[in-house]
Amino acid sequence: MSYAAAQASIGDSEFDRDTAITERAGEPGVYDAELSAGWTIIAAVNGGYLLALVGRALSATLPHPDPFTVSAHYLTSSVPGPAVIRTEVVRVGRTLSTGQASLFQYDEHGNEVERIRVLASYGDLASLPDDVRTAAVPPLMPSYENCIGPEAGPAPIPGSSAIVDRLRLRLDPATAGWAVGAPSGKGEMRAWFELADGRDADPLSLLLAVDALPPTAFDLGLVAWTPTVELTTHIRRRPAPGPLRISITTRNLAGGFLEEDAEVWDSTDHLVAQSRQLARALRM
């Protein structure tokens, strides 16, 4: 996909506007961006939003349109404001192309500070065969109407509501006990997910979705900021219109770190994305 085609595909939704990029004149593969304060958790920009922003830059750089696998290491916390994304084509094949990208911001002296480094392979989801053989099943959870929205209680961390306003999250009551001081201790989080302005999901917004729910650390009784160290996402197919269901589990918290395994299902019961991340479990 050319840069012009990538820009033409950007719609009028808040997510699209806030992940817009501008290629620098005379610097192919280098894009300027503005990190929006609307996607923050406390003062830091959400890792899934960052991944979608870098994913858009790679879509503009690589000849294939869709992310298949995207692995990111989060080096320093990002903050709202200007950023630059530098991309590089690593390899181009017939069905897959691979690229790498880094997002930088500026310190008080005007020096670039690397925030996130990404290695990704892109292809064309529309060209994949329909054959599906899987033991995975959609999560068992109540209907959208019977799940819990943010209006049911205050934000669990002071100042953490900015990203919540960009989303329509409806939590499974079985994984929302932490909000009233009664976490289950199972390390589970399940929710319905949509963008607040009604924009249907696509492969780029799936990169946001895998990191958009409250962390499973909350369900383990640790209600605090849980910064991502590394996040790998696999996009399996284009999602059908309608709300997504997201299920995240943690099996192991040790040494102050935990893993989160996520599955994202669309309205037609297809598994559209999977991810695993390593995060720090901080205590307030």
Side-chain angles (χ1 to χ4, degrees):
M1 177 184 290
S2 68
Y3 173 72
Q7 289 297 93
S9 69
I10 295 176
D12 293 328
S13 82
E14 188 172 37
F15 172 78
D16 291 323
R17 292 194 302 270
D18 288 347
T19 57
I21 53 176
T22 302
E23 189 170 27
R24 286 188 176 179
E27 297 186 63
V30 179
Y31 305 91
D32 288 303
E34 184 75 18
L35 305 189
S36 169
W39 303 89
T40 53
I41 300 175
I42 311 180
V45 179
N46 171 261
Y49 164 75
L50 293 173
L51 200 61
L53 185 64
V54 175
R56 190 179 295 284
L58 284 166
S59 292
T61 298
L62 297 171
H64 292 95
D66 301 316
F68 276 22
T69 177
V70 182
S71 294
H73 283 262
Y74 294 81
L75 309 178
T76 53
S77 296
S78 298
V79 296
V84 58
I85 303 169
R86 302 184 183 278
T87 67
E88 178 185 346
V89 178
V90 176
R91 181 185 180 276
V92 174
R94 185 176 61 84
T95 60
L96 285 176
S97 55
T98 299
Q100 62 184 12
S102 290
L103 183 146
F104 299 86
Q105 290 191 291
Y106 306 94
D107 65 16
E108 64 274 16
H109 304 295
N111 300 314
E112 288 187 348
V113 178
E114 189 173 9
R115 303 297 198 194
I116 175 176
R117 184 175 297 189
V118 173
L119 183 66
S121 290
Y122 276 55
D124 184 356
L125 289 168
S127 69
L128 297 182
D130 293 330
D131 184 36
V132 176
R133 309 180 196 191
T134 180
V137 295
L140 293 174
M141 53 190 290
S143 66
Y144 184 95
E145 293 75 18
N146 290 320
C147 285
I148 300 172
E151 70 280 357
I157 303 175
S160 68
S161 62
I163 188 172
V164 174
D165 293 338
R166 315 275 83 75
L167 307 173
R168 293 177 189 160
L169 287 181
R170 307 285 296 188
L171 294 178
D172 183 341
T175 68
W178 53 269
V180 292
S184 76
K186 296 179 180 178
E188 299 176 344
M189 202 66 63
R190 291 183 295 274
W192 294 88
F193 170 95
E194 287 183 295
L195 293 170
D197 60 11
R199 177 197 188 276
D200 283 323
D202 66 0
L204 282 181
S205 65
L206 291 177
L207 298 176
L208 164 70
V210 297
D211 193 43
L213 270 59
T216 54
F218 289 8
D219 193 46
L220 294 171
L222 301 174
V223 181
W225 185 41
T226 308
T228 303
V229 177
E230 187 271 343
L231 172 60
T232 294
T233 303
H234 298 161
I235 306 300
R236 308 307 302 264
R237 64 184 293 151
R238 291 184 176 276
L244 304 170
R245 284 160 293 168
I246 304 175
S247 173
I248 307 179
T249 59
T250 291
R251 297 178 59 196
N252 187 59
L253 187 160
F257 291 85
L258 57 81
E259 89 288 343
E260 289 190 341
D261 291 314
E263 292 183 349
V264 183
W265 297 80
D266 72 4
S267 59
T268 61
D269 287 345
H270 285 108
L271 182 64
V272 294
Q274 298 166 278
S275 73
R276 166 167 279 198
Q277 73 168 277
L278 181 70
R280 294 182 65 192
L282 302 178
R283 294 180 181 271
M284 293 290 282

